[in-house]
Amino acid sequence: LPPNAYPYTLAIKAYATGHSRDPERSESLLREMRRFGLAVSPAVYRSAIGAWTYVGGSECSNRAEKLLKEMRGERRNDGPDPAAYGMTIRALAESGGVGDVERAEALLSEWEEAGEGDDEKDEKGNMNGKPDEESYRAVVDALEKAGEEDRARQVFWRMQEL
C-alpha cells in the first residue's frame, strides 16, 4: 500500500499533544511525510510547532521557528497562519534565549506586513491574517523584561492600531 497522510497526521498529533509528548518524534514523522511526497497540512505543522513550544526553552523555540519557516516556504500563497505564528512568537518571547526576543519581534513585524489589507475577523473576533493581542503582549512583556522600554512601547502602540 502507498503511504497515506491520515495515519501520519494522527500520530503527529498524538506525539504533539498526548500523554507521552515527544516533539522530536512528531517532527521526525512530519519529515517522513515529506520524504514520501505526502501533503503536510497547516494543522500538521501547527501540531509539530505546538509540541516544541509546549516543552519550552530556547532550543525548542528555535525548532518551532524553523518549522514555521518551512511551513511558510511550502504554503507561501496561503498567507500567514495565525495559530502557527502566535505559538512561535510566544515561545520565542518567553524562552529567554539570546536573540529570541528580537526574533519574536521580527516575526511579529513580518506577520503584520503579511496580514496587511485583511480586514475580516475570525470566529474569535481577531483580524484574520493579523497578529493577535496575546502575541503582541508576549513581545511587549519580553522587551520590558529585557530593559527595552522604548521598543516595548512602540510594539504596544502598534497593537493599539489593530
Side-chain angles (χ1 to χ4, degrees):
L1 289 170
N4 180 323
Y6 185 69
Y8 278 97
T9 300
L10 291 178
I12 288 168
K13 286 184 179 185
Y15 282 118
T17 61
H19 176 66
S20 57
R21 191 178 301 259
D22 186 346
E24 283 279 354
R25 186 71 177 129
S26 182
E27 185 176 342
S28 171
L29 287 170
L30 184 148
R31 300 218 180 288
E32 194 172 306
M33 281 181 78
R34 293 179 68 210
R35 271 195 310 277
F36 282 123
L38 299 172
V40 181
S41 71
V44 170
Y45 270 108
R46 283 191 299 271
S47 292
I49 290 168
W52 283 114
T53 62
Y54 181 83
V55 173
S58 188
E59 181 184 339
C60 294
S61 60
N62 291 339
R63 299 285 290 267
E65 183 182 22
K66 182 178 175 188
L67 284 170
L68 176 67
K69 288 179 180 181
E70 280 181 32
M71 179 184 181
R72 284 192 330 239
E74 285 185 16
R75 311 191 73 81
R76 64 183 136 266
N77 295 332
D78 292 350
D81 184 287
Y85 265 90
M87 284 188 287
T88 307
I89 288 168
R90 289 187 294 277
L92 285 166
E94 295 166 5
S95 76
V98 176
D100 287 353
V101 174
E102 289 77 11
R103 291 195 346 261
E105 185 180 11
L107 273 179
L108 185 68
S109 296
E110 178 183 301
W111 188 5
E112 289 171 329
E113 290 172 21
E116 282 182 8
D118 191 346
D119 293 332
E120 294 181 29
K121 292 189 177 189
D122 66 11
E123 64 278 353
K124 292 182 181 178
N126 294 323
M127 300 300 284
N128 279 335
K130 294 185 181 179
D132 58 5
E133 188 174 320
E134 198 175 343
S135 297
Y136 278 106
R137 288 188 186 281
V139 172
V140 168
D141 289 346
L143 287 168
E144 286 177 343
K145 286 178 188 170
E148 297 284 346
E149 288 85 13
D150 289 340
R151 284 177 43 209
R153 223 177 279 106
Q154 290 171 358
V155 173
F156 175 81
W157 287 115
R158 287 183 358 225
M159 177 179 71
Q160 297 304 310
E161 294 172 2
L162 278 181

